[in-house]
Amino acid sequence: MQYEEFVAEVQRRADLPTALKAQQAIQATLQTLAAYISRKERHDAASQLPKGIKTYLQRPLLSPEKRLGPGPGSPVTADEFFWWVSTLEGVPLEVAREHARAVMSVLRDALSQGEFEDIRAELPAPIYNEFYEDKK
């Protein structure tokens, strides 16, 4: 999947008005996701993504106040995951939840099935369950 296609698909699935809004949702979601998975899985997933998208999996998660995010294996609720997305994207929590689901559904399409399953296997159960069903 190419960069423009990834962004356009997130824009469509999240019903966002512009590509810039889709890019912001992608960045917030993938940087948050990266905080909960191992370096190996971040690298493996990034290798299947277009340049410009993959970098979001490779950056450390910092809040706007430069507070470091959680690490792999951190116990967390789905609400905390979406709080991070909300904070990074600058949108309300329920909007962030919708955007993150759209981003994750496009990520599922962009990655091999095995790689997406490897990522989900590393996620805490509350987050895994949010992305278990197809949310297209």
Side-chain angles (χ1 to χ4, degrees), residues 3 6-12 14-29 56 85 88-92 95-96 99-100 102-103:
Y3 177 84
F6 195 106
V7 171
E9 198 55 31
V10 168
Q11 183 179 351
R12 183 185 72 76
D15 196 27
L16 292 163
T18 66
L20 178 60
K21 295 289 185 189
Q23 291 165 347
Q24 291 168 340
I26 293 164
Q27 181 176 358
T29 301
Y56 302 140
V85 176
L88 293 173
E89 191 180 352
V91 298
V95 172
H99 292 178
V103 171

Side-chain angles (χ1 to χ4, degrees), residues 32 36 70 74-84 93 97 124-131:
T32 301
Y36 293 96
S74 295
V76 68
T77 65
D79 284 341
E80 183 178 342
F81 181 92
F82 294 119
W83 177 87
W84 276 101
L93 187 62
R97 186 180 302 267
I127 299 169
Y128 173 93
N129 292 335
E130 286 288 327
F131 306 120

